[in-house]
Amino acid sequence: MLDVRRMQVLLAVVDSGSVTGAAGLLGYTPSAVSQQVAALEKEAGTALLERVGRGVRATAAGVLLARYADAIGRQVAEAETALADLVAGRTGRLAVRYFATAGSGLVAPAVARLRAEHPGVRIDLRLADADPLSDVREGRADLALVVGSPGGFGGVRLLHLQDDPYLAVLPASHRLASRPYVEMRDLAEEVWVGSEWPGPCLDAQLAACEAAGFRPVFAVESEDYVTAQGFVAAGLGIALIPRLGLGARHPSVVVREVRRPVPVRGIYAAVRESAPEQPALSAFVAALREAAAAA
């Protein structure tokens, strides 16, 4: 195999027209340059230089290898620049998984900030599937937004972004609609409209109800928060919906804060514990935290 460094020595000889000139360019002794070229000729199996007067001239094989050495040198320089940009976070790719209600309030402003600060970083955004933590753990995603609590996820580190409180959504004519806020115990005898699938979001609701001394009775299940608001507006029950999930409010409902206790779901950024330091990823986490603080 041809030694790339020796090819660069040959290129210096060809460009300067002499061994002495190449030695001056490279900071070598003429003897060292001659030894490098001789070793390259042995690797190539043919002469690369021929003497012409007091100088040297490249043979056809020498011209060929010098041309490739020049191309390799330029490619190495480009690789060094690209690597420096990647390490500094100026380029690269981030694969991000997120859940729908975090999209507009957290992900969108964080992506906008990252693009402004790191325009060379490409972001692959996808709605999370049933198990986004597996995507992070197995390297298919660099970061996933999840609802849950820290701990218990092998190979994944959870970074807290915010606690998203649940709000009570009531029919406009409801007996509690005139109050500035409601307490959890005020909802004990109500018929409920389910707004969450089984999982950490529903667990947050049930934990608050349990703390207030009751278990809710769900008369209607819905697939999303918009549908839940529609059921509430029709008088089919009350619902708890997280602040990030409210979006456009139905004109026939009222929304009130809930206290004693305040039901909340924790929102986290999940990253792989063993992942190497990535400036672009760190910048995106910082942008998510800024968006969470402003939400």
Side-chain angles (χ1 to χ4, degrees):
M1 180 179 292
L2 298 176
D3 188 292
V4 173
R5 290 172 296 180
R6 289 168 180 162
M7 290 175 64
Q8 297 302 312
V9 173
L10 172 66
L11 176 62
V13 174
V14 173
D15 285 346
S16 65
S18 70
V19 170
T20 302
L25 289 172
L26 299 173
Y28 293 173
T29 63
S31 175
V33 170
S34 296
Q35 290 175 5
Q36 292 293 312
V37 172
L40 184 60
E41 287 180 325
K42 185 176 181 181
E43 292 171 351
T46 187
L48 302 175
L49 298 174
E50 57 182 350
R51 289 204 167 275
V52 178
R54 294 186 177 182
V56 293
R57 180 174 62 192
T59 64
V63 171
L64 176 70
L65 286 189
R67 186 164 62 246
Y68 276 103
D70 181 56
I72 291 171
R74 284 186 278 106
Q75 290 179 333
V76 169
E78 291 173 3
E80 290 174 342
T81 299
L83 180 60
D85 286 341
L86 181 65
V87 170
R90 292 186 291 269
T91 61
R93 172 183 172 275
L94 288 180
V96 176
R97 305 290 182 263
Y98 68 98
F99 57 93
T101 54
S104 61
L106 297 181
V107 177
V111 170
R113 174 178 166 180
L114 187 71
R115 284 181 174 172
E117 296 179 353
H118 301 267
V121 176
R122 187 168 71 86
I123 306 173
D124 174 19
L125 290 173
R126 298 185 189 179
L127 278 171
D129 58 16
D131 187 13
L133 291 178
S134 292
D135 284 348
V136 173
R137 187 182 298 111
E138 296 169 14
R140 292 186 296 273
D142 298 293
L143 179 146
L145 289 179
V146 296
V147 174
S149 58
F153 301 104
V156 175
R157 183 161 49 103
L158 295 185
L159 309 175
H160 182 260
L161 297 177
Q162 70 173 164
D163 288 328
D164 187 22
Y166 279 87
L167 304 175
V169 180
L170 313 170
S173 59
H174 195 275
R175 62 184 177 84
L176 300 174
S178 61
R179 297 187 183 182
Y181 65 89
V182 300
E183 296 186 5
M184 280 299 301
R185 64 183 180 182
D186 296 330
L187 305 176
E189 302 302 321
E190 298 291 332
V191 175
W192 286 52
V193 172
S195 64
E196 303 284 10
W197 292 105
C201 293
L202 179 58
D203 291 344
Q205 290 190 17
L206 297 179
C209 293
E210 183 179 357
F214 71 96
R215 185 172 183 84
V217 176
F218 292 99
V220 182
E221 298 290 343
S222 64
E223 295 182 355
D224 57 41
Y225 300 134
V226 173
T227 304
Q229 287 193 58
F231 285 141
V232 172
L236 301 181
I238 64 95
L240 291 185
I241 294 179
R243 189 184 300 278
L244 282 179
L246 269 173
R249 298 185 183 182
H250 195 289
S252 297
V253 304
V254 295
V255 177
R256 296 291 181 262
E257 290 185 3
V258 182
R259 300 181 183 178
R260 298 182 186 178
V262 178
V264 296
R265 60 177 187 171
I267 297 179
Y268 296 82
V271 297
R272 193 166 69 257
E273 284 185 336
S274 61
E277 180 68 23
Q278 297 183 63
L281 180 58
S282 299
F284 188 61
V285 170
L288 284 170
R289 283 179 164 152
E290 182 178 88

